[in-house]
Amino acid sequence: NCTGVEDFKDCLGNTENFCPTGISCQCKNEKPFCRCAYYRVGWQEYWYMGPKCNHLWNTLDFILVAILPAVGLVIIV
């Protein structure tokens, strides 16, 4: 429950089934969200995304998703 809770403060009540284990539930605009974790290994950063922190992304994935469509568009044009 996030009614009356300040932004980025912990959710009220039982949040065990809302976010994965070890991920905190916080409030924004009186709505709960999972505060996804991130970490760094060498030059790459890894972070979780999605409403339940269920999508793992890394630096290389982000670069490929951002650059490959642009390259394809350039080739088409």
Side-chain angles (χ1 to χ4, degrees):
N1 185 5
C2 286
T3 304
V5 177
E6 291 181 40
D7 288 348
F8 304 109
K9 299 289 183 184
D10 290 339
C11 300
L12 302 175
N14 183 2
T15 60
E16 290 180 16
N17 294 325
F18 186 75
C19 294
T21 304
I23 304 294
S24 67
C25 174
Q26 295 190 343
C27 299
K28 173 74 172 133
N29 296 328
E30 295 191 347
K31 294 183 181 179
F33 72 95
C34 298
R35 186 83 179 219
C36 303
Y38 67 93
Y39 56 94
R40 174 178 271 191
V41 177
W43 64 273
Q44 286 193 325
E45 291 185 9
Y46 295 86
W47 62 94
Y48 289 93
M49 294 176 66
K52 301 285 185 178
C53 300
N54 51 354
H55 302 286
L56 179 64
W57 281 71
N58 65 36
T59 310
L60 183 59
D61 293 340
F62 185 72
I63 290 170
L64 291 176
V65 166
I67 291 182
L68 286 180
V71 170
L73 184 61
V74 167
I75 291 171
I76 290 172
V77 170

